[in-house]
Amino acid sequence: MNELIKAIEKLKQEKNAVILAHYYTEGEIQNIADFVGDSLALAQWANKTDADVIVMCGVHFMGETTKIICPDKKVLVPDMNAGCSLADSCPAEKFSEFVSLHPDHTVISYVNTTAAVKAVTDVVVTSTNARQIVESFPADEKIIFGPDRNLGNYINSITGRKMLLWDGACHVHEKFSVEKIIELKQSHPDALVLAHPECKSTILALADVVGSTAALLKAAIQSDRKEFIVATESGILHEMQKQCPEKTFIPAPPNDSTCACNECSYMRLNTLEKLYNCLKDESPEIIVDQETADKAIKSIKRMLEISEQLGL
Ligand code: 13P
Ligand code: SF4
């Protein structure tokens, strides 16, 4: 293993490459990354790096977003099959039809979408900035929000907006079990429940803190509680445990106890070996067609600009 890590470090130096990783990847990937973050932080980091090569250890839409932000850099992903069930729940053609049926609506899309969906979007959001970006529009602005119905419902509930929602969801966040979290709360009465807004409203109703992966991490660090029940992809526990070695983090169980459904099977396709191979071969490389990229960059840049203005 050490040899593989040394070989990756050497290739990184030779190629002036950086490795970015999402909090949901395996701990060994997070450990070797130059930067680990949530979706917003990864996009912000890509926007300012001067590396020639960026390896995005995450999922395909993160690679696409990086390539659109950094068209002159080579953007690699360890496994081209690392997709996203939420992005898949919003095919671009169908979403475009939906948008064209509501021409007077502003289109706000979650970053978990393909470049083609971003191309018909006015402003992209992540779970870190969705509330603030929605609230940056006048209260009577007509808004389409896609593709995550749970995040959309949550934002509607905390802002009082009535955004039209696309009916998409993430297979990991949909599967947390209300009953099992209630049981865990009973057996760990002092535990703080942390939940990602991609979870269903029945799960969010049990949560003490609702937020993006970065927000949940911050809450875990700042809280004086000793135990936490974590309702999001379990990869985040790696950084939580690293930052707070004295605290206990309990992954919220899915309703199907026969599978590790609180792990994103796509994120877990990133392995050290594939990371080494993709740096060595400079493949698989993310390519976004120019016309789509030219349209999508506007909605991504708008998100980055608003986030900067808001100090996010
Ligand atoms: P954040 O990175 O915004 O917390 O979103 C989680 C997610 O599902 C990424 O795919
Ligand atoms: Fe997509 Fe869900 Fe995996 Fe996030 S956890 S990358 S939303 S499938």
Side-chain angles (χ1 to χ4, degrees):
M1 191 63 85
N2 265 345
E3 291 307 309
L4 197 52
I5 291 169
K6 276 188 208 151
I8 292 170
E9 294 291 353
K10 189 161 171 271
L11 283 170
K12 248 178 48 179
Q13 302 286 328
E14 284 168 13
K15 298 182 187 241
N16 188 27
V18 285
I19 299 171
L20 309 189
H22 191 270
Y23 286 127
Y24 292 165
T25 52
E26 296 285 353
E28 60 187 25
I29 298 278
Q30 295 187 43
N31 288 345
I32 200 173
D34 297 287
F35 181 79
V36 186
D38 69 351
S39 305
L40 176 63
L42 291 173
Q44 289 171 322
W45 214 91
N47 199 29
K48 58 181 189 219
T49 181
D50 54 9
D52 296 315
V53 177
I54 302 174
V55 186
M56 173 54 76
C57 298
V59 291
H60 189 266
F61 76 78
M62 294 176 176
E64 264 188 349
T65 307
T66 305
K67 181 65 186 177
I68 295 167
I69 294 172
C70 311
D72 302 330
K73 300 185 194 303
K74 188 169 267 192
V75 177
L76 307 171
V77 290
D79 191 323
M80 211 42 136
N81 295 316
C84 167
S85 55
L86 178 52
D88 289 347
S89 70
C90 187
E93 272 175 35
K94 293 208 169 121
F95 189 68
S96 300
E97 274 169 34
F98 182 60
V99 167
S100 57
L101 289 175
H102 304 282
D104 54 345
H105 282 58
T106 293
V107 183
I108 301 186
S109 294
Y110 197 30
V111 72
N112 298 41
T113 43
T114 60
V117 167
K118 291 184 178 82
V120 294
T121 292
D122 294 304
V123 55
V124 168
V125 298
T126 75
S127 51
T128 290
N129 58 22
R131 177 187 189 151
Q132 290 92 332
I133 290 184
V134 167
E135 286 185 327
S136 73
F137 287 92
D140 58 355
E141 184 90 7
K142 291 179 177 165
I143 296 174
I144 285 177
F145 186 93
D148 192 87
R149 59 172 175 258
N150 295 324
L151 176 63
N153 265 320
Y154 173 68
I155 301 293
N156 273 343
S157 74
I158 57 176
T159 61
R161 304 283 171 129
K162 293 187 176 69
M163 301 186 294
L164 275 186
L165 306 183
W166 183 260
D167 193 19
C170 154
H171 72 301
V172 176
H173 291 88
E174 279 270 286
K175 287 195 179 138
F176 290 112
S177 159
V178 170
E179 291 74 22
K180 288 178 188 169
I181 294 178
I182 290 174
E183 276 170 29
L184 274 175
K185 275 168 74 96
Q186 281 161 355
S187 54
H188 300 269
D190 293 331
L192 205 68
V193 180
L194 310 176
H196 196 282
E198 286 176 28
C199 295
K200 288 181 179 176
S201 58
T202 45
I203 299 291
L204 299 183
L206 299 172
D208 299 296
V209 180
V210 177
S212 66
T213 44
L216 300 183
L217 175 64
K218 193 171 166 195
I221 294 168
Q222 290 180 345
S223 169
D224 49 17
R225 301 283 183 96
K226 295 282 170 259
E227 287 187 318
F228 301 83
I229 298 165
V230 185
T232 189
E233 212 276 356
S234 56
I236 185 68
L237 268 69
H238 178 76
E239 188 62 24
M240 286 178 169
Q241 205 64 78
K242 204 163 157 180
Q243 298 272 352
C244 315
E246 75 294 354
K247 297 180 181 175
T248 302
F249 297 96
I250 307 163
N255 45 33
D256 179 357
S257 54
T258 61
C259 73
C261 297
N262 54 10
E263 289 185 0
C264 173
S265 46
Y266 301 111
M267 286 282 182
R268 304 305 164 121
L269 288 175
N270 292 283
T271 64
L272 277 186
E273 200 166 356
K274 288 183 206 167
L275 173 50
Y276 167 75
N277 285 331
C278 94
L279 258 178
K280 175 170 69 67
D281 303 335
E282 300 192 13
S283 171
E285 180 180 0
I286 296 277
I287 306 287
V288 182
D289 84 76
Q290 200 55 51
E291 200 187 328
T292 308
D294 287 346
K295 289 180 186 160
I297 187 66
K298 293 181 193 151
S299 56
I300 298 171
K301 285 273 176 197
R302 202 161 165 199
M303 170 186 80
L304 292 171
E305 281 160 16
I306 300 176
S307 299
E308 197 177 332
Q309 285 161 15
L310 295 169
L312 298 170

